[in-house]
Amino acid sequence: MLRDPSTKYRPFPQIDLPNREWPSRTITKAPRWLSTDLRDGNQALIDPMDAEKKTRMFDLLVKVGLKEIEVGFPSAGATEFDFISGLVKTGRIPDDVTVQVLTQSRRDLIQTSFESLRGAPKAIVHLYNAVSPAWRKIVFGLSREEIKQIAIDGAKILRDCAAAQPDTDWHFEYSPETFSTAELDFSVEVCEAVMDVLRPTPEHKLILNLPATVECATPNVYADQIEWFGKHIRNRDSIAISLHTHNDRGTGVAAAELGLMAGADRVEGCLLGNGERTGNCDLVTVALNMYTQGLSPGLDLSDIDEVVNTVTYCTQLPVHPRTPYAGDLVFTAFSGSHQDAIKKGFASQEARNDELWEVPYLPIDPADLGRSYEAVIRVNSQSGKGGVAWVIEQDKGLKLPKRLQADFSRHVQALADETSRELNAADIWGQFEKSYLAKPDDRFVLGAYDETRAPDGDRIFAGDIEVAGEHHSVSGRGNGLISSVVAAIRDEFAVDLEVADYVEHAIGKGANVRAAAYVECRTGDGRTVWGVGIDEDIATASVRAVLSAANRA
């Protein structure tokens, strides 16, 4: 890298737009969406999709709810042409979906594009040619007038080819390719020349796509360009401004969002952001960003895993686990402080009467996207007591008291350090059983017992406790069942326990509900021990909890 990059690179010039309005606007409605997965996305693949994968992708796009789909570049070859014409001939295109094809501004390519759509009830033909100085000078060696004439000639061929197939409801899109690096006045001049040929009306609009073919500036500059264009193009009510952002600077989504605030009507991109170089705008992210602001995007992403699985199958490209909304780990917390906040957020959510979503670290409810809560919190050596408690609650229905959460997290931390890996629910439950629940090799094993009430109101515990294979009949008296069990153990086995806290709750609902009991005890030498009991009967669960604490004492 250069010590002084200014010798090789220059900053992108700002747009003269002193009264810009977009910074004070918000997005208030969903745009028209266009998927370019089957065209721009397909062109970016090492191994382009075959007919089976293209069909599977098309079906996904329809299922998600996209109403405009760029299905290919029919003049690129027989595979593209046959797929597009096959969609038309087999009637696979739903009535409410409009397919679009892309073509360069050449007569033979345009004619091939129209032929691929023969018989379609309606379709969009997308014409483009590059207009920026670098392309004019380096790629084509043409003047501004010559570049404009290419666009005019192409528009005339569009008009004539459409007239030759009157049974189709034709719509047109024109892209001054490389718009974001071209002179704004020249882009307007070329687009208006195309409008002069195609004569759009408010009822039959021309789509003018203003692509950031290569992202060369911050997204606010692109928004300025869009607003400037919208204010200077004539007959604004007869055109739909479309955005086609790329992600070279990592801000393709932001540029699209600011472009909508600047007055655009339509967004082009790919599901999960596939596309040339660093990708196209990620339609899933833009749509779900709107959703989290309480705005329906008009797309159904309620099964995000189906979207991910289909896209990865068709493109053979992995989806990064941190991809917004769609990645495997985007709803997962490993950090202890994050886990604690999320756990409290879910508890608050459950306790409130309203449906307003307010859970720390989760801008969207994973359930809205078809994701379960099981993977929201996962445990490794970075995790804390809240995360461990969440996993136990989700997996087994146990709601551990706070001090027990802290005690158990030490055991889990030791296991995580020992194994040096993520711990799954089975690992955590195994550690919980080992640490707190009754086992056959425990010193004290509960047998049959009875509880009676004395005339003075005290409770009397009388039962059988097995110690090292020998059965002991024991009894104890106290003001409740738990204190009477503690007294029996103290009197018979000299185990000194003092109950500091007791919590119980039901596990599950319905006829098969069980009970969980947690008891915190102090030993004679000042230690704190916990016992846990689980049983169909709450009284038995509490007795088991006391014996569990005694075993640990």
Side-chain angles (χ1 to χ4, degrees):
M1 295 178 66
L2 301 174
R3 298 186 65 178
D4 180 11
S6 67
T7 61
K8 189 173 184 179
Y9 303 99
R10 57 183 179 273
F12 197 88
Q14 298 298 296
I15 308 302
D16 184 16
L17 191 65
N19 297 315
R20 56 181 57 83
E21 299 175 33
W22 66 262
S24 61
R25 294 177 181 162
T26 57
I27 299 172
T28 57
K29 65 177 182 178
R32 292 169 58 179
W33 303 102
L34 173 82
S35 161
T36 61
D37 290 87
L38 292 167
R39 199 277 303 167
D40 201 338
N42 191 47
Q43 288 176 315
L45 300 177
I46 298 172
D47 296 311
M49 288 180 260
D50 58 20
E52 185 270 333
K53 289 179 179 176
K54 287 173 77 75
T55 301
R56 185 164 171 177
M57 178 68 82
F58 179 80
D59 290 344
L60 173 68
L61 298 171
V62 170
K63 184 176 181 180
V64 165
L66 285 147
K67 303 305 180 186
E68 298 177 40
I69 302 172
E70 193 165 75
V71 290
F73 203 145
S75 60
T79 300
E80 291 282 283
F81 185 97
D82 292 344
F83 169 72
I84 296 164
S85 62
L87 288 176
V88 176
K89 292 174 181 177
T90 59
R92 199 176 191 93
I93 305 168
D95 293 340
D96 61 347
V97 172
T98 303
V99 294
Q100 174 174 306
V101 297
L102 180 72
T103 178
Q104 293 168 309
S105 187
R106 277 176 38 190
R107 178 175 295 276
D108 58 328
L109 304 184
I110 295 172
Q111 290 174 335
T112 299
S113 299
F114 274 88
E115 188 60 32
S116 73
L117 293 167
R118 183 173 292 278
K122 58 184 175 181
I124 303 169
V125 180
H126 179 188
L127 175 76
Y128 76 96
N129 68 300
V131 299
S132 67
W135 266 255
R136 296 197 309 261
K137 178 178 65 175
I138 299 170
V139 181
F140 303 121
L142 298 176
S143 66
R144 284 171 58 142
E145 283 300 315
E146 290 170 318
I147 290 292
K148 182 171 71 173
Q149 192 61 48
I150 291 173
I152 293 171
D153 292 343
K156 290 178 178 178
I157 302 169
L158 286 185
R159 178 195 62 195
D160 296 344
C161 287
Q165 296 185 40
D167 292 339
T168 298
D169 179 15
W170 295 106
H171 294 258
F172 304 119
E173 175 172 349
Y174 172 69
S175 290
E177 192 193 11
T178 65
F179 162 82
S180 60
T181 53
E183 308 93 335
L184 285 171
D185 62 333
F186 183 55
S187 293
V188 168
E189 181 181 336
V190 174
C191 289
E192 289 183 343
V194 170
M195 292 168 65
D196 288 340
V197 175
L198 298 177
R199 298 187 178 278
T201 66
E203 295 73 34
H204 201 280
K205 296 183 179 185
L206 169 66
I207 302 166
L208 290 178
N209 180 43
L210 306 179
T213 306
V214 178
E215 187 177 42
C216 293
T218 50
N220 62 294
V221 173
Y222 185 64
D224 281 351
Q225 292 172 322
I226 300 302
E227 183 173 327
W228 193 100
F229 184 94
K231 287 181 174 178
H232 287 81
I233 192 78
R234 71 167 184 263
N235 300 333
R236 175 65 179 88
D237 62 347
S238 295
I239 65 167
I241 293 180
S242 190
L243 308 174
H244 185 112
T245 60
H246 280 256
N247 203 41
D248 299 272
R249 292 171 56 92
T251 56
V253 165
E257 291 179 326
L258 299 191
L260 288 174
M261 292 162 58
D265 308 293
R266 187 176 186 248
V267 172
E268 304 184 6
C270 292
L271 298 178
L272 305 178
N274 179 38
E276 293 175 292
R277 301 182 311 282
T278 55
N280 286 188
C281 176
D282 182 344
L283 296 186
V284 170
T285 299
V286 178
L288 292 179
N289 283 353
M290 292 181 187
Y291 183 84
T292 63
Q293 304 304 299
L295 178 64
S296 173
L299 299 179
D300 181 4
L301 299 168
S302 57
D303 190 349
I304 197 68
D305 288 333
E306 181 187 13
V307 173
V308 171
N309 292 338
T310 302
V311 170
T312 54
Y313 168 77
C314 292
T315 64
Q316 297 297 295
L317 294 175
V319 173
H320 194 282
R322 299 296 181 186
T323 299
Y325 303 109
D328 284 344
L329 297 179
V330 295
F331 300 124
T332 300
F334 291 101
S335 161
S337 60
H338 289 211
Q339 292 173 342
D340 183 62
I342 291 171
K343 181 175 180 294
K344 290 175 179 175
F346 272 105
S348 172
Q349 194 76 20
E350 186 176 342
R352 292 203 317 268
N353 292 324
D354 62 77
E355 295 182 0
L356 185 67
W357 180 255
E358 192 176 17
V359 176
Y361 294 113
L362 294 180
I364 191 172
D365 184 350
D368 289 358
L369 305 181
R371 293 272 176 91
S372 71
Y373 296 141
E374 292 179 5
V376 168
I377 290 175
R378 287 162 58 176
V379 175
N380 62 15
S381 61
Q382 303 298 308
S383 304
K385 62 182 185 298
V388 172
W390 167 270
V391 173
I392 284 286
E393 181 174 349
Q394 295 300 304
D395 187 47
K396 299 296 181 181
L398 300 184
K399 301 177 181 180
L400 307 187
K402 285 188 176 180
R403 288 193 295 275
L404 178 55
Q405 293 177 24
D407 188 81
F408 182 43
S409 70
R410 294 186 293 103
H411 297 281
V412 175
Q413 182 73 41
L415 180 61
D417 290 338
E418 177 185 338
T419 59
S420 299
R421 62 172 174 84
E422 180 188 351
L423 302 181
N424 58 33
D427 295 324
I428 294 170
W429 179 244
Q431 191 71 0
F432 189 83
E433 288 184 305
K434 176 182 175 182
S435 302
Y436 303 109
L437 295 182
K439 301 184 294 296
D441 59 349
D442 280 342
R443 182 184 180 196
F444 304 118
V445 178
L446 179 65
Y449 76 92
D450 287 313
E451 176 195 8
T452 58
R453 186 183 293 273
D456 61 0
D458 277 358
R459 299 291 183 89
I460 299 173
F461 169 83
D464 177 76
I465 294 179
E466 181 181 333
V467 180
E470 296 184 6
H471 291 270
H472 295 251
S473 295
V474 301
S475 64
R477 185 182 183 121
N479 60 7
L481 175 61
I482 292 175
S483 60
S484 65
V485 176
V486 169
I489 295 173
R490 181 188 61 239
D491 296 344
E492 180 70 23
F493 305 113
V495 177
D496 189 9
L497 290 179
E498 178 185 351
V499 176
D501 193 20
Y502 172 80
V503 178
E504 64 182 42
H505 68 80
I507 304 174
K509 298 178 181 179
N512 297 320
V513 67
R514 295 189 301 160
Y518 313 92
V519 61
E520 180 184 12
C521 296
R522 302 277 190 272
T523 65
D525 56 2
R527 292 181 295 117
T528 296
V529 293
W530 281 90
V532 179
I534 298 174
D535 198 88
E536 286 75 13
D537 175 65
I538 184 58
T540 302
S542 63
V543 174
R544 292 188 185 281
V546 174
L547 288 180
S548 171
N551 280 315
R552 277 134 198 88

